[in-house]
Amino acid sequence: MLSCRGLHKRYRTERGEIEALAGVDLDVAPGTFAAVIGRSGSGKSSLMAMIGGLSRPSDGTVGIDGTDLWGLSDDGLAEFRNRRIGFVFQFTSLLPTLRLVDNVALPALLGRRLGQRAAYERAAVLLDRVGLADYRAAYPAEVSAGEQRRAVIARALVNEPALLLADEPTADLDEQTEIEIMDELLAVNCELGTTLLLVTHNLALAEAAEQVVHIAGGRIVP
C-alpha cells in the first residue's frame, strides 16, 4: 500500500546543505502496523512529512495505493491527502473555537465527501468510539490532553483513510494515557484494517509493530 523509492530531502542553511534523508526505500503492506524508530534528528519526521504529502522530496517517489503522490497537481495532492491519509501528531492542532464534534467533522465537510448531516453523524460515531460520547459539545480547552488526542484520532478517521500516520502521538502524555492512546491506534489498525505508520523514539511502543524501520543519519539501517 506504501512504496517509497530513493527518497532524499535536502535543506539549504547558512551552514550549507543538510541532507535529512539520504536515499530511503520503504515498502509497507496493506493493513500493517509499522513503526519508524530513531534518535532525534535521524530523519523520521522528514520521512513522515513526505509520505503524508506535506513536504516535497528533493528526489524520489512516494506511492500510496498505486498513486504517485508527488506526481499529483497541488489540488490533486490536497484532495488525495484529505481523502486517503489521516494524521495524528504530537500537537493536537484542534481548532480552539470549535467544539470537538465540529473539529472531527471538518475534514469531511472540507472534502465534500459527506453532506453536513452525514458528516456530523459520522463525527458523533467516531467520538463515541474513542470514548468521548459525553464530550461532543466540549471545546478543546475543556478536556484533557489525552482526550484531545482521542479527538484527533477520531478526526483522522472521519474520511476513512487507507493510511494513518502518527508522529510521536504520545510524547507529551503520562504513561497511563500513552497506553490508552496506543490501544486506540492499535484498535484502528486491527479492527478497521487501516495501515498504521507510527514514528516514535519509544522502543517499547515499537515492540507491538509487525514491521520496524530503524533510521539513522537519514538512512534505513538494520
Side-chain angles (χ1 to χ4, degrees), residues 37-78:
I37 62 174
R39 302 180 68 174
S40 178
S42 61
K44 305 187 305 297
S45 291
S46 292
L47 175 61
M48 184 71 88
M50 286 185 280
I51 292 172
L54 301 174
S55 176
R56 183 176 292 276
S58 300
D59 292 298
T61 61
V62 175
I64 297 177
D65 268 353
T67 296
D68 178 5
L69 192 65
W70 291 103
L72 297 171
S73 66
D74 289 346
D75 288 346
L77 176 60

Side-chain angles (χ1 to χ4, degrees), residues 150 173-183:
R150 289 173 179 272
L173 301 176
D174 63 80
E175 184 177 357
Q176 181 57 42
T177 305
E178 178 181 70
I179 291 171
E180 293 171 359
I181 295 304
M182 278 307 304
D183 284 347

Side-chain angles (χ1 to χ4, degrees), residues 54-193:
L54 301 174
S55 176
R56 183 176 292 276
S58 300
D59 292 298
T61 61
V62 175
I64 297 177
D65 268 353
T67 296
D68 178 5
L69 192 65
W70 291 103
L72 297 171
S73 66
D74 289 346
D75 288 346
L77 176 60
E79 181 178 0
F80 186 90
R81 191 168 54 223
N82 178 269
R83 289 176 177 266
R84 304 294 289 159
I85 305 174
F87 297 92
V88 181
F89 294 126
Q90 178 179 350
F91 303 105
T92 61
S93 68
L94 294 172
L95 297 177
T97 58
L98 297 182
R99 301 169 301 168
L100 294 188
V101 70
D102 301 319
N103 271 284
V104 174
L106 188 59
L109 296 171
L110 291 175
R112 300 186 182 90
R113 184 175 180 277
L114 299 172
Q116 182 172 335
R117 180 174 179 177
Y120 274 90
E121 287 176 348
R122 178 157 176 76
V125 168
L126 289 169
L127 285 170
D128 291 354
R129 177 188 174 87
V130 298
L132 295 176
D134 295 332
Y135 296 94
R136 297 176 192 173
Y139 290 87
E142 297 173 334
V143 299
S144 69
E147 288 162 344
Q148 289 181 33
R149 204 62 45 85
R150 289 173 179 272
V152 170
I153 294 173
R155 183 181 64 183
L157 296 175
V158 73
N159 282 334
E160 299 180 291
L163 176 63
L164 183 61
L165 303 179
D167 191 354
E168 300 283 9
T170 64
D172 59 339
L173 301 176
D174 63 80
E175 184 177 357
Q176 181 57 42
T177 305
E178 178 181 70
I179 291 171
E180 293 171 359
I181 295 304
M182 278 307 304
D183 284 347
E184 290 292 347
L185 292 173
L186 289 172
V188 168
N189 171 244
C190 295
E191 296 170 17
L192 302 182

